[in-house]
């Protein structure tokens, strides 16, 4: 199951002399599952700890304390599940031919967008772990803003996202 959808396609091969505005590319993504690797790892460890506590816990703890341990294990599992699912589904990132947009929130909404033609900088930040698993943060700033205005946190293949935006701007990927 992929964490992103590339809908990058060209309608038709452009005849010479056509402007790049005719090129239609879009990108739709959410934060990658691998960006939350440690929460997911602990979440999958909790059932193992629960089974061990159930099988061997009576040797080390009283029944009252064992019930507290069960409740704590279940609470940690539920909390981490909720955090992982919230982070995954409350953020959405889109790039179409004209705008770059970041949406955050399930109930309340925070939407940040920049027009592609107004972009000044595109930065990619990756920690060592993010580089190993192929995820990272892509930061966009515009000529009119004073700092980073839109951030795609933890997206798959961040360098390809940067190259897509550069193509939309009409620049070469190495520029």
């Amino acid at each position: 199951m992929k964490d992103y959808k590339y809908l990058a396609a060209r309608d038709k091969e452009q005849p010479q002399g056509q402007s790049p505005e005719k090129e239609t590319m879009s990108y739709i993504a959410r934060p990658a599952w691998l960006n939350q690797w440690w929460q997911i790892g602990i979440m999958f460890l909790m059932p193992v700890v629960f089974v061990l506590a159930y099988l061997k816990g009576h040797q080390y703890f009283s029944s009252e304390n064992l019930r507290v341990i069960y409740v704590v294990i279940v609470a940690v599992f539920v909390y981490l599940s909720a955090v992982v699912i919230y982070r995954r589904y409350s953020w959405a990132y889109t790039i179409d031919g004209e705008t770059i947009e970041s949406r955050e929130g399930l109930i309340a909404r925070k939407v940040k967008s920049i027009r592609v033609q107004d972009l000044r900088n595109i930065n990619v930040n990756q920690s060592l772990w993010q580089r190993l698993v192929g995820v990272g943060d892509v930061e966009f700033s515009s000529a009119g803003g004073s700092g980073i205005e839109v951030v795609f946190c933890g997206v798959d293949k961040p360098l390809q996202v940067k190259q897509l935006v550069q193509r939309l701007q009409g620049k070469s990927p190495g520029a």
Side-chain angles (χ1 to χ4, degrees):
M1 184 173 169
K2 293 191 179 192
D3 296 326
Y4 61 93
K5 294 178 186 174
Y6 281 113
L7 301 175
R10 294 188 179 171
D11 290 336
K12 294 180 181 174
E13 284 300 316
Q14 292 178 349
Q16 284 201 348
Q18 287 279 351
S19 64
E21 288 80 28
K22 297 290 182 189
E23 189 173 338
T24 59
M25 292 185 210
S26 63
Y27 172 84
I28 301 169
R30 295 190 180 275
W33 292 110
L34 286 174
N35 198 49
Q36 303 183 69
W37 65 273
W38 70 271
Q39 291 102 327
I40 293 171
I42 293 173
M43 190 174 73
F44 281 114
L45 188 63
M46 288 293 103
V48 173
V49 172
F50 186 89
V51 169
L52 287 175
Y54 182 76
L55 295 175
K56 300 287 184 177
H58 64 279
Q59 295 175 359
Y60 303 103
F61 302 104
S62 68
S63 61
E64 294 84 23
N65 288 342
L66 200 53
R67 277 187 237 131
V68 170
I69 291 171
Y70 293 152
V71 168
V72 168
I73 292 170
V74 170
V76 168
F77 178 80
V78 169
Y79 172 76
L80 287 176
S81 299
V83 166
V84 166
I85 290 169
Y86 176 79
R87 286 182 182 167
R88 169 76 176 163
Y89 292 105
S90 68
W91 291 326
Y93 312 121
T94 58
I95 300 172
D96 61 22
E98 297 177 7
T99 59
I100 297 168
E101 189 171 87
S102 170
R103 295 179 184 198
E104 183 179 334
L106 292 174
I107 298 171
R109 265 296 169 201
K110 183 191 288 187
V111 178
K112 297 179 181 179
S113 64
I114 297 178
R115 293 186 313 173
V116 172
Q117 68 187 24
D118 294 337
L119 275 177
R120 181 186 64 202
N121 286 326
I122 306 167
N123 300 323
V124 174
N125 292 323
Q126 291 178 294
S127 67
L128 176 61
W129 176 257
Q130 287 177 321
R131 281 193 73 186
L132 291 173
V133 298
V135 299
D137 301 337
V138 184
E139 302 172 337
F140 303 97
S141 59
S142 71
S146 62
I148 305 300
E149 296 171 37
V150 176
V151 179
F152 288 7
C153 295
V155 293
D156 251 342
K157 301 179 182 176
L159 293 175
Q160 288 182 2
V161 174
K162 179 179 178 177
Q163 290 172 353
L164 171 66
V165 174
Q166 288 174 331
R167 282 194 308 269
L168 288 172
Q169 286 182 307
K171 297 178 181 177
S172 65

